[in-house]
């Protein structure tokens, strides 16, 4: 299921599974694939990412001071305890303990991130794979992740890194400047923070975004949006575009399937819109769990009212994984029903994802209905939107970041 | 032919019924039930030695061995301690001693106790090299005072990071985790050696919660007072089928401010709690902590909104890991 993506630099790198957006590759292959791809980048550049020999066993403890940086967004309490203020969970963490995410640790009353520059997956991906459809179509993103996540979705495609502690996952030292260099080297106009949950490596994300911007490389994040407002503004304020996984439009689903809460995610979406960030939303449709007409309708109405009709919404197909292997693949008819419902509510850009060849992965002008961006797999095969971001046929403005 | 088939079936059922006790006796589990009762009672031995430390502050290795023997003899009603251990293990078993080394030297499973258990196991016919003293992390074991050993014919001692976690997930209810390969590949018998501690999230941490050290993602299972996560975790067949005994080290215990070691909120309890019913043992340990809290003028865990509800969950009809009904627990003090 792998195909080769030819980057603008003419370097062929594996680009992941065409059927799985934001899953870097099938798990059985991914560790190897990611490492190969990652190390290929590093070795080709004439220097490893800072780990001579590089191969590390997942069982080998990586207690390395280079990865450990004092965390932002926390509050000191009595008895050497701290309260994490990064995500709405607000873990109270005792000395020598970690928060729910497993990547932030209290050491003597000071809270540390254990994953700064600790990259466990790196890949050159098409931007359509994130998916971001209204952001530099046809380009690639240097995509990175560390271990850890602040929720525990029962359907997680990347659970082997997202639900692991950093020392359980082979990782390499890749500081922000190095990431920016590699992105430049591989003609990636964008660095993407993705695969696991970037909220939990916010400090690394912020520093890397700064390094990237200094080198002329943009940053985008693929996130669950489960983050406190202060951290959101500080961290995602540095992003050029944001894709939020809105897992459902129901609190009970968030509680039972995601182990999180819906309300803070909705607040994140509103804040991002107010901040003027380019925003797209993905809704992974799980048969029987979040696929009712009412939920689709409520979701679309909320988006239109609170974010406006121009925010792209992607309904994507579920493939059984992790703790929900008992569910079937989402029927295409269900995705089409979801799109029809959202279209009827007045959203302008509703897509269907993870279904290769489906016409609903193309962008059409909401006014003249003509095809503007044609996509095949994860590539944009035709892109007609004008430099000023308008439809070439009727001049209707098409929102997005279309040209570098 | 039909008659013969019918007879065999009847015979088979009769044998099954009469053999039910024998099947459970393989692990000495018949002693879970008090003899002659309509409803089985779970036996929890509370073994105490006020002179465990002599005149000093360190646990006396000879006295802890004697206390261990008394507790095992009482639990299994045997005249000789080794006979009690032989109810649990047999030659050829590979025995994992899951200690708790998170609390450093202050509040980890006592070294002298672990040494005494290793001795008794060998006297019961287990080869030294088939005994693994383990927890999640070798460095934490060393901080707690254990000497690492891997390979050779000595008693083994190392953390899971040396062998990794199983690749595949094990799942039950709310829990989906990768299990330590020490549990799944290196041992077929699990003896749980927790410590007795207050816990700021779970209420108390004793035997059931000590299994958090078996999985790769314990951080995911601390919300809601660890309920129902602890109960669900202990339902995993890899744990359940190996678990033979919980022997809680309460030589030093923490009544408040746990799970980290706080000397000012710990007490020299000089006690061992031993049972084959992990729920009954946790319930008994919880009550001991509550008594100490009352003695110190502290609120109950319920009043602090952190009662260990996971213990009742472990006993509910969906789990049936043991009992937390005081009427069905036989506490034996020795």
């Amino acid at each position: 299921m792998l195909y080769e993506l030819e980057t603008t630099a003419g370097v062929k790198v594996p680009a992941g599974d065409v059927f799985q957006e934001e899953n870097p590759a099938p798990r059985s292959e991914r560790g190897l694939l990611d490492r190969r791809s990652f190390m290929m980048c590093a070795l080709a550049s004439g220097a490893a990412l800072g780990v001579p020999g590089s191969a590390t066993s997942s069982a080998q403890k990586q207690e390395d001071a280079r990865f450990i940086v004092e965390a932002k967004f926390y509050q000191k309490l009595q008895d050497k305890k701290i309260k994490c203020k990064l995500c709405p969970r607000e873990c109270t963490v005792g000395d020598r303990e970690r928060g729910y995410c497993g990547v932030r640790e209290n050491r003597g009353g000071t809270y540390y991130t254990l994953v700064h520059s600790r990259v466990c997956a790196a890949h050159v991906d098409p931007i359509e794979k994130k998916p971001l459809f209204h952001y530099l179509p046809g380009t690639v993103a240097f995509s990175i992740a560390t271990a850890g996540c602040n929720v525990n979705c029962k359907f997680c495609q990347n659970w082997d890194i997202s639900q692991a502690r950093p020392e359980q996952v082979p990782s390499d030292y890749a500081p922000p400047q190095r990431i920016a260099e590699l992105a430049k080297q591989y003609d990636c106009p964008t660095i993407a923070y993705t695969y696991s949950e970037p909220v939990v490596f916010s400090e690394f994300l912020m520093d890397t975004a700064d390094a990237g911007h200094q080198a002329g490389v943009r940053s985008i994040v693929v996130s669950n949006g489960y983050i406190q407002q202060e951290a959101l503004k500080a961290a995602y304020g540095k992003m050029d575009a944001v894709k939020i996984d809105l897992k459902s439009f129901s609190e009970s689903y968030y509680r039972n399937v995601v182990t999180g809460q819906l309300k803070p995610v909705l607040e994140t979406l509103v804040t991002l819109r107010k901040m003027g960030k380019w925003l797209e939303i993905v809704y992974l449709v799980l048969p029987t769990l979040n696929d009712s007409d009412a939920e689709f309708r409520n979701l679309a109405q909320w988006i239109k009212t609170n974010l406006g009709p121009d925010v792209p919404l992607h309904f994507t197909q579920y493939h059984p994984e992790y703790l929900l292997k008992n569910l079937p693949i989402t029927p295409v008819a269900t995705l089409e029903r979801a799109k029809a419902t959202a279209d009827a509510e007045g959203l302008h850009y509703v897509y269907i994802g993870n279904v290769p060849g489906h016409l609903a992965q193309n962008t059409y002008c909401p006014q003249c209905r003509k095809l503007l961006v044609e996509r095949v797999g994860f590539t944009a095969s035709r892109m007609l939107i004008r430099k000023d971001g308008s439809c070439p046929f009727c001049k209707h403005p098409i929102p997005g970041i279309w040209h570098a | 032919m039909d008659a013969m088939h019918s007879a065999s079936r009847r015979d088979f059922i009769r044998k099954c019924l009469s053999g039910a006790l024998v099947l459970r006796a393989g692990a000495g589990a018949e002693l879970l039930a008090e003899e002659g009762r309509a409803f089985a009672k779970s036996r929890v031995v509370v073994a105490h030695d006020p002179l465990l430390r002599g005149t000093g502050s360190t646990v006396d290795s000879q006295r802890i061995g004697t206390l261990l023997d008394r507790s095992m003899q009482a639990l299994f009603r045997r005249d000789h301690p080794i006979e009690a251990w032989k109810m649990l293990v047999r030659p050829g078993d590979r025995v994992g001693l899951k200690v708790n080394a998170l609390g450093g030297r202050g509040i980890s499973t006592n070294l002298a106790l672990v040494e005494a258990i290793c001795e008794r196991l060998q006297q019961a016919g287990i080869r030294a090299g088939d005994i693994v003293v383990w927890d999640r992390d070798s460095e934490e074991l060393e901080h707690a005072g254990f000497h690492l050993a891997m390979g050779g014919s000595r008693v083994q001692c190392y953390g899971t990071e040396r062998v990794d976690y199983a690749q595949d997930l094990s799942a039950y209810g709310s829990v989906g985790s990768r299990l330590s390969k020490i549990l799944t590949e290196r041992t077929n018998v699990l003896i749980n050696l927790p410590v007795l501690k207050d816990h700021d999230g779970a209420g108390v941490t004793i035997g059931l919660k000590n299994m958090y050290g078996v999985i790769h993602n314990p951080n995911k299972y601390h919300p809601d007072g660890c309920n129902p996560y602890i109960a669900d975790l202990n339902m995993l067949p890899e744990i359940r089928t190996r678990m033979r005994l919980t022997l809680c080290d309460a030589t030093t215990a923490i009544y408040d401010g746990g799970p980290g070691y706080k000397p000012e909120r710990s007490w020299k309890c000089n006690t061992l709690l031993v049972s084959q019913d992990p729920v009954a043992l946790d319930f008994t340990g919880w009550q001991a902590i509550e008594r100490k809290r009352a003695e110190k003028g502290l609120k109950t865990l319920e009043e602090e909104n952190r009662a260990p509800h996971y213990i009742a969950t472990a006993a509910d009809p969906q789990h049936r890991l043991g009992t937390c009904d005081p009427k069905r627990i036989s506490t034996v003090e020795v």
Side-chain angles (χ1 to χ4, degrees):
Chain A
M1 289 322 203
L2 299 173
Y3 74 108
E4 298 249 299
L5 166 74
E6 184 150 354
T7 68
T8 49
V11 178
K12 286 185 175 180
V13 296
D17 189 332
V18 294
F19 293 113
Q20 294 295 320
E21 288 171 355
E22 273 319 287
N23 186 356
R27 191 172 54 259
S28 57
E29 303 168 32
R30 198 185 56 220
L32 178 63
L33 200 58
D34 283 345
R35 283 191 68 76
R36 190 188 304 141
S37 154
F38 189 44
M39 293 314 298
M40 188 186 66
C41 292
L43 295 172
S45 70
L49 290 168
V51 183
S54 78
T56 50
S57 158
S58 61
Q60 190 178 333
K61 192 166 185 182
Q62 297 176 16
E63 181 66 30
D64 192 324
R66 291 177 300 182
F67 301 133
I68 300 168
V69 172
E70 184 175 356
K72 302 179 192 293
F73 318 118
Y74 77 98
Q75 177 187 343
K76 295 194 176 192
L77 305 176
Q78 287 184 328
D79 284 342
K80 293 184 182 175
K81 289 183 180 177
I82 66 91
K83 177 176 276 193
C84 185
K85 305 291 279 186
L86 177 59
C87 92
R89 200 173 289 283
E90 291 205 335
C91 295
T92 298
V93 184
D95 188 17
R96 295 177 54 132
E97 292 182 347
R98 295 187 192 179
Y100 183 88
C101 60
V103 302
R104 301 164 84 81
E105 185 169 289
N106 179 350
R107 296 184 175 185
T110 302
Y111 208 34
Y112 292 92
T113 168
L114 309 179
V115 290
H116 197 287
S117 308
R118 195 172 196 162
V119 176
C120 69
H123 228 79
V124 175
D125 281 343
I127 200 72
E128 285 78 9
K129 190 173 170 227
K130 302 298 121 190
L132 279 173
F133 278 9
H134 290 225
Y135 173 88
L136 304 183
T139 65
V140 289
F142 195 82
S143 307
I144 58 172
T146 76
C149 183
N150 59 343
V151 294
N152 187 8
C153 301
K154 289 181 177 172
F155 49 80
C156 185
Q157 304 283 335
N158 296 324
W159 64 269
D160 54 335
I161 57 172
S162 69
Q163 301 306 317
R165 294 154 81 93
E167 64 272 24
Q168 295 164 352
V169 180
S171 302
D172 285 304
Y173 177 64
Q177 289 74 17
R178 188 78 191 109
I179 297 295
E181 285 168 20
L182 287 167
K184 291 278 282 187
Q185 186 180 331
Y186 284 94
D187 286 329
C188 299
T190 306
I191 299 165
Y193 312 93
T194 179
Y195 303 142
S196 54
E197 178 44 60
V199 165
V200 305
F201 60 88
S202 285
E203 294 84 358
F204 179 41
L205 169 146
M206 293 166 74
D207 292 346
T208 305
D210 287 343
H213 285 140
Q214 282 173 17
V217 182
R218 303 179 198 218
S219 276
I220 64 108
V221 65
V222 175
S223 172
N224 61 23
Y226 194 50
I227 184 171
Q228 291 208 17
Q229 289 286 306
E230 184 191 344
L232 169 70
K233 289 169 188 164
Y236 292 2
K238 294 177 182 289
M239 297 295 105
D240 295 281
V242 181
K243 191 217 86 177
I244 296 293
D245 286 309
L246 183 59
K247 319 269 183 182
S248 152
F249 202 64
S250 133
E251 280 291 0
S252 65
Y253 181 98
Y254 261 87
R255 186 171 56 251
N256 299 324
V257 181
V258 177
T259 325
Q261 301 164 270
L262 170 63
K263 188 165 173 277
V265 180
L266 297 181
E267 289 168 357
T268 289
L269 291 169
V270 171
T271 302
L272 286 168
R273 197 76 173 127
K274 283 180 183 165
M275 289 165 70
K277 295 293 167 191
W278 181 250
L279 171 66
E280 300 191 24
I281 297 170
V282 165
Y283 186 102
L284 181 68
V285 182
L286 273 74
T288 73
L289 295 182
N290 66 353
D291 62 349
S292 72
D293 284 343
E295 194 164 354
F296 293 146
R297 190 164 46 249
N298 292 340
L299 166 74
Q301 287 173 352
W302 185 89
I303 290 175
K304 189 179 178 188
T305 303
N306 293 279
L307 308 177
D310 285 338
V311 172
L313 172 62
H314 305 248
F315 289 108
T316 57
Q317 187 176 49
Y318 170 70
H319 291 253
E321 185 58 270
Y322 193 37
L323 300 173
L324 286 179
K325 286 183 178 166
N326 55 317
L327 292 182
I329 292 173
T330 317
V332 173
T334 303
L335 299 167
E336 290 171 339
R337 176 166 56 82
K339 174 174 164 50
T341 305
D343 283 341
E345 292 298 328
L347 298 190
H348 292 160
Y349 304 99
V350 183
Y351 298 100
I352 287 177
N354 280 351
V355 184
H358 200 288
L359 289 177
Q361 65 180 344
N362 299 327
T363 301
Y364 299 89
C365 175
Q367 184 161 286
C368 69
R369 304 288 173 191
K370 292 219 166 91
L371 176 67
L372 299 178
V373 184
E374 184 179 49
R375 298 180 180 86
V376 177
F378 287 134
T379 57
S381 55
R382 196 149 44 128
M383 163 44 189
L384 302 176
I385 294 172
R386 299 182 347 156
K387 285 272 183 197
D388 65 358
S390 66
C391 170
F393 306 105
C394 71
K395 309 293 186 290
H396 184 76
I398 310 297
I401 300 171
W402 298 107
H403 300 280
Chain B
M1 189 64 187
D2 280 342
M4 192 169 78
H5 179 75
S6 173
S8 295
R9 189 174 164 75
R10 194 181 308 128
D11 189 44
F12 176 71
I13 291 169
R14 185 170 52 81
K15 281 181 178 173
C16 283
L17 290 173
S18 64
L21 274 179
V22 176
L23 282 173
R24 291 183 63 82
E30 88 280 17
L31 292 161
L32 279 170
E34 292 287 289
E35 289 171 19
R37 300 285 177 89
F39 294 100
K41 273 196 171 189
S42 290
R43 173 176 275 241
V44 180
V45 171
V46 180
H48 180 67
D49 178 1
L51 299 177
L52 191 64
R53 294 160 202 269
T55 54
S57 60
T58 311
V59 168
D60 182 279
S61 58
Q62 199 159 0
R63 293 194 78 100
I64 191 87
T66 305
L67 189 64
L68 172 68
D69 291 342
R70 275 167 45 204
S71 66
M72 289 296 287
Q73 286 173 246
L75 182 66
F76 289 99
R77 297 176 186 176
R78 290 294 180 272
D79 294 331
H80 195 280
I82 303 308
E83 294 305 314
W85 286 101
K86 284 181 177 173
M87 299 292 294
L88 275 183
V89 296
R90 58 191 62 172
D93 278 342
R94 293 168 301 148
V95 182
L97 304 180
K98 169 63 180 72
V99 300
N100 187 315
L102 291 180
R105 283 182 184 269
I107 188 72
S108 294
T109 310
N110 186 276
L111 298 181
L113 173 64
V114 176
E115 281 174 12
I117 293 169
C118 290
E119 275 180 23
R120 304 302 185 271
L121 285 169
Q122 289 173 70
Q123 289 165 354
I126 306 298
R127 292 191 308 126
D130 284 339
I131 301 170
V132 189
V133 177
W134 67 284
D135 202 351
R136 66 178 189 183
D137 187 272
S138 297
E139 199 173 293
E140 287 169 354
L141 283 165
E142 283 187 302
H143 283 156
F146 291 94
H147 295 290
L148 301 185
M150 199 171 181
S153 57
R154 297 170 295 170
V155 170
Q156 308 290 290
C157 180
Y158 50 86
T160 293
E161 94 289 347
R162 294 291 180 95
V163 293
D164 211 347
Y165 294 88
Q167 198 59 39
D168 293 332
L169 277 177
S170 297
Y172 181 91
S174 61
V175 166
S177 296
R178 294 169 60 200
L179 296 168
S180 169
K181 286 184 183 173
I182 300 175
L183 177 81
T184 60
E185 295 181 8
R186 307 231 167 176
T187 56
N188 68 308
V189 171
L190 173 61
I191 296 178
N192 190 9
L193 303 180
V195 287
L196 181 66
K197 295 195 287 188
D198 170 89
H199 191 283
D200 56 6
V204 297
T205 170
I206 312 174
L208 293 167
K209 190 175 178 300
N210 197 34
M211 290 301 101
Y212 273 31
V214 171
I215 57 177
H216 84 295
N217 56 350
N219 47 295
K220 296 297 178 189
Y221 304 130
H222 280 86
D224 303 322
C226 304
N227 189 29
Y229 306 109
I230 291 176
D232 286 350
L233 172 61
N234 279 271
M235 288 295 285
L236 294 178
E238 295 89 341
I239 293 175
R240 234 184 144 174
T241 58
R242 286 171 174 80
M243 183 76 80
R244 299 278 173 89
L245 182 74
T246 303
L247 201 161
C248 174
D249 169 14
T251 53
T252 301
I254 294 179
Y255 59 85
D256 189 45
Y261 180 53
K262 294 181 179 60
E264 70 279 11
R265 282 180 263 181
S266 68
W267 87 103
K268 308 296 184 195
C269 191
N270 295 331
T271 299
L272 300 178
L273 304 174
V274 193
S275 183
Q276 287 192 294
D277 179 336
V279 184
L281 186 139
D282 271 24
F283 180 82
T284 306
W286 169 27
Q287 300 313 306
I289 286 176
E290 292 284 21
R291 281 193 298 274
K292 193 67 184 179
R293 292 177 64 83
E295 182 188 316
K296 293 287 181 181
L298 296 171
K299 289 180 180 173
T300 64
L301 295 177
E302 186 73 63
E303 287 167 339
E304 289 202 352
N305 203 25
R306 57 185 184 98
H309 295 300
Y310 69 84
I311 295 176
T313 303
D316 73 15
Q318 283 74 47
H319 296 83
R320 295 184 189 280
L321 287 162
T323 182
C324 61
D325 177 357
K327 292 178 193 154
R328 295 185 59 192
I329 297 174
S330 169
T331 305
V332 180
E333 296 188 2
V334 295

